[in-house]
Amino acid sequence: MKTKILSISLVALLLIGCKKGEYTESAYATADSSGVVSDGVSMGATQVVEGKQFVKTAEVDMEVKDVYDATISIEKQLQSLGGFVTKSRMEAQTLSEDTYNTSDQSAMLIRKFQNQNRMQVRVPTQKLGEFLDFINDKKVFLNSRIISAEDVSAGIRSAKMESERQAKTQSNISQLKAGKDKVKLDDNNMSEANLQKYSDEILADNLEFSTVDIFIKEPKTSVAKIPIINNKNIDNEYKYNFLYDVKNAFVEGFYLIQQLFVFLISIWPIVFIGGLVFYFLRRRKIL
């Protein structure tokens, strides 16, 4: 009986061991099949802390397969999330430029360039993590990503206390007798209240929308072949005309003689006096 019980126990242990082995192998297979560990998004983009409010910003510098397609895709995603673009500057950075003559009239301009785009967008803060996940999928290489979450909780409390102070000051001013001093105090307090309201609106906007600066470029160098005119051959064609230059030289020489003759006429008193002096000196030497 004991032997039978021991046999049953051994079989049960073997079955349990086989099941554990199957589970472990399955777990390793799942881990290996992933291949790459996802870099995900920093906690700073999605964190929510009770009693804290954050102004969140992000800077992304990455390389993409096609700048134009990535830009259109980012803008469409941004629109679907309720965000908007504040700046987008797409340009081709020229790396080199060479001209090769292909005939007497034609040439080929070979320009090597790299497409890039600098964007600044505003995205609802609640969707910041989702947006960063989306643009992360567009990369072929991530150069850098900076995510900032500035705690403005103390500033919000300070702004609230400042508003209460201004309201109390306005109440005290209203109890004063009418006069120049009351008008001046009322104007100053209203000016401070307007500035505080403006600051509160900016802060509220920064809390609602996060600013994301994006720089994307293509890792490969693109080449443009641009047909142009052979300027060198055209320059040589009109650079020198012998008959025209000879004719022009005669004309310019004639004008030079005229100018010299007019100049001598204009200084005739000097020429006349010089002639007299020369004559008398020559005569005295002869005597």
Side-chain angles (χ1 to χ4, degrees):
M1 185 68 179
K2 290 182 179 180
T3 304
K4 188 175 182 179
I5 293 173
L6 288 173
S7 299
I8 294 172
S9 299
L10 288 172
V11 171
L13 287 172
L14 287 171
L15 289 174
I16 293 172
C18 290
K19 288 182 179 180
K20 285 184 178 180
E22 291 174 359
Y23 175 79
T24 305
E25 183 179 356
S26 176
Y28 277 106
T30 303
D32 292 339
S33 64
S34 64
V36 179
V37 178
S38 174
D39 49 2
V41 177
S42 169
M43 179 182 173
T46 57
Q47 66 183 352
V48 177
V49 180
E50 186 177 355
K52 297 288 185 181
Q53 295 195 59
F54 301 96
V55 171
K56 299 176 181 179
T57 59
E59 298 177 25
V60 179
D61 182 345
M62 65 184 189
E63 297 176 8
V64 296
K65 184 177 180 181
D66 187 287
V67 166
Y68 181 79
D69 290 343
T71 298
I72 297 301
S73 181
I74 289 172
E75 290 178 350
K76 287 182 178 179
Q77 177 67 10
L78 189 67
Q79 186 177 14
S80 69
L81 295 176
F84 54 93
V85 178
T86 57
K87 181 176 68 176
S88 180
R89 181 177 177 177
M90 187 181 299
E91 60 184 356
Q93 182 184 13
T94 300
L95 303 177
S96 65
E97 192 173 86
D98 297 294
T99 301
Y100 301 94
N101 297 325
T102 55
S103 70
D104 291 341
Q105 291 78 31
S106 304
M108 187 68 69
L109 175 64
I110 305 299
R111 178 178 295 160
K112 297 179 181 179
F113 63 95
Q114 197 172 32
N115 291 321
Q116 59 187 30
N117 190 12
R118 292 184 182 276
M119 304 176 67
Q120 185 178 82
V121 303
R122 302 292 304 283
V123 60
T125 301
Q126 293 180 350
K127 304 292 183 65
L128 178 60
E130 181 181 348
F131 179 70
L132 291 177
D133 270 334
F134 175 82
I135 63 176
N136 186 66
D137 292 337
K138 300 297 177 183
K139 75 178 189 307
V140 294
F141 186 80
L142 179 65
N143 293 314
S144 65
R145 184 179 64 195
I146 303 172
I147 300 174
S148 301
E150 181 184 359
D151 184 3
V152 294
S153 307
I156 293 174
R157 290 191 292 271
S158 176
K160 183 178 179 180
M161 290 186 291
E162 181 64 17
S163 297
E164 292 173 352
R165 183 193 68 80
Q166 289 170 354
K168 186 176 181 179
T169 300
Q170 186 62 37
S171 176
N172 293 334
I173 292 173
S174 63
Q175 297 177 10
L176 297 175
K177 293 181 179 180
K180 293 182 179 180
D181 292 339
K182 181 179 180 180
V183 173
K184 185 176 180 179
L185 289 172
D186 186 62
D187 182 68
N188 291 338
N189 190 66
M190 185 178 294
S191 178
E192 291 180 6
N194 290 337
L195 289 174
Q196 185 61 49
K197 184 178 179 181
Y198 175 71
S199 299
D200 292 344
E201 289 179 356
I202 292 178
L203 180 58
D205 180 69
N206 289 333
L207 286 169
E208 184 178 0
F209 290 92
S210 296
T211 301
V212 182
D213 291 308
I214 306 170
F215 177 67
I216 54 177
K217 66 178 181 180
E218 296 173 2
K220 66 180 184 301
T221 299
S222 300
V223 178
K225 300 178 181 179
I226 307 171
I228 60 174
I229 298 173
N230 187 341
N231 293 327
K232 185 176 181 180
N233 189 59
I234 292 177
D235 292 341
N236 291 335
E237 183 179 352
Y238 297 98
K239 184 181 291 184
Y240 193 74
N241 189 319
F242 178 75
L243 294 178
Y244 172 79
D245 289 340
V246 170
K247 177 184 175 182
N248 192 53
F250 274 110
V251 173
E252 290 181 356
F254 178 71
Y255 285 137
L256 180 61
I257 293 173
Q258 286 182 333
Q259 292 174 0
L260 181 60
F261 184 71
V262 171
F263 174 74
L264 291 175
I265 293 175
S266 66
I267 61 171
W268 70 266
I270 299 174
V271 175
F272 179 73
I273 294 172
L276 289 176
V277 171
F278 178 78
Y279 173 76
F280 284 115
L281 289 176
R282 185 74 178 269
R283 187 174 179 181
R284 179 176 295 180
K285 185 177 179 181
I286 294 173
L287 292 174

